[in-house]
Amino acid sequence: MNTTRFFRNATKNSASVIFFFSALGMLGLFTWGIWGLIHGMSSTESDEEYCYYFSDLVGTIGALMFTCLFFIMLYLIYINKQFTKWCVWLFYVLGATCLVYFIVSGEVYEHLFSFANQDNIQKIAVHARRLLNAPAGFMIVCFSFLPKLISDAKKLKEEQELTI
């Protein structure tokens, strides 16, 4: 594909280009954060620092999962404007991702308390609570807009059935 055709298609569908670059920027920010947390975990000197970086890493990965799924659902429904089975499956995947995140964070919660002793139990408890609350904002946004997404997906399905 030559560059003139690419730019001609980009000007026709500018919403898709804006959406793509905003999603790419968000992915870049998450990747930079995850890279920093992994680097911080590898250079820790105490159990408390390790627990801090580990809980933040798991929370950031959970927030990344919810954000990616939400952006994919938004793209399929609003930018692409085509109802496919992927739209329906992504609603289920979002719910399953939520369950998987809490199962994994429960295991990490137990792992963090294996590092605890009498000196640092309070600090590690704070990190463990932050682990369970880390993607809460992303989950609230995803699940609060979910009924709107479902109704818009139903409208798209009805419109496509009428045009066929």
Side-chain angles (χ1 to χ4, degrees):
M1 176 186 249
N2 63 26
T3 57
T4 58
R5 189 172 1 159
F6 174 75
F7 287 116
R8 191 175 331 127
N9 290 339
T11 57
K12 288 180 185 176
N13 197 358
S14 60
S16 179
V17 172
I18 292 169
F19 185 82
F20 173 73
F21 282 116
S22 64
L24 193 64
M26 193 83 134
L27 183 65
L29 287 174
F30 275 115
T31 304
W32 181 57
I34 289 171
W35 179 266
L37 291 170
I38 290 172
H39 180 65
M41 271 180 67
S42 66
S43 63
T44 59
E45 296 178 4
S46 68
D47 291 342
E48 180 193 347
E49 288 179 13
Y50 173 78
C51 292
Y52 169 78
Y53 285 116
F54 190 51
S55 64
D56 273 1
L57 178 67
V58 173
T60 304
I61 290 172
L64 174 66
M65 289 187 312
F66 293 121
T67 304
C68 286
L69 287 173
F70 189 67
F71 269 110
I72 291 169
M73 285 191 314
L74 287 177
Y75 178 77
L76 286 175
I77 293 172
Y78 293 112
I79 305 294
N80 202 15
K81 293 192 186 226
Q82 289 183 349
F83 179 80
T84 60
K85 290 185 180 183
W86 278 105
C87 295
V88 176
W89 281 106
L90 282 175
F91 296 128
Y92 295 123
V93 168
L94 187 64
T97 302
C98 184
L99 290 175
V100 166
Y101 175 77
F102 282 115
I103 290 170
V104 169
S105 65
E107 292 297 320
V108 171
Y109 187 84
E110 294 294 324
H111 177 70
L112 291 179
F113 276 105
S114 69
F115 284 103
N117 57 28
Q118 293 297 343
D119 297 336
N120 62 1
I121 188 102
Q122 283 298 102
K123 293 177 182 177
I124 290 179
V126 169
H127 299 312
R129 279 193 300 269
R130 281 185 34 225
L131 170 71
L132 296 174
N133 295 330
F138 294 98
M139 290 171 59
I140 289 170
V141 168
C142 289
F143 286 116
S144 64
F145 287 113
L146 203 58
K148 173 86 170 119
L149 290 172
I150 291 172
S151 68
D152 289 345
K154 284 181 183 179
K155 287 178 188 175
L156 277 172
K157 182 180 178 185
E158 291 171 1
E159 288 175 7
Q160 286 181 356
E161 286 176 355
L162 289 176
T163 58
I164 293 175

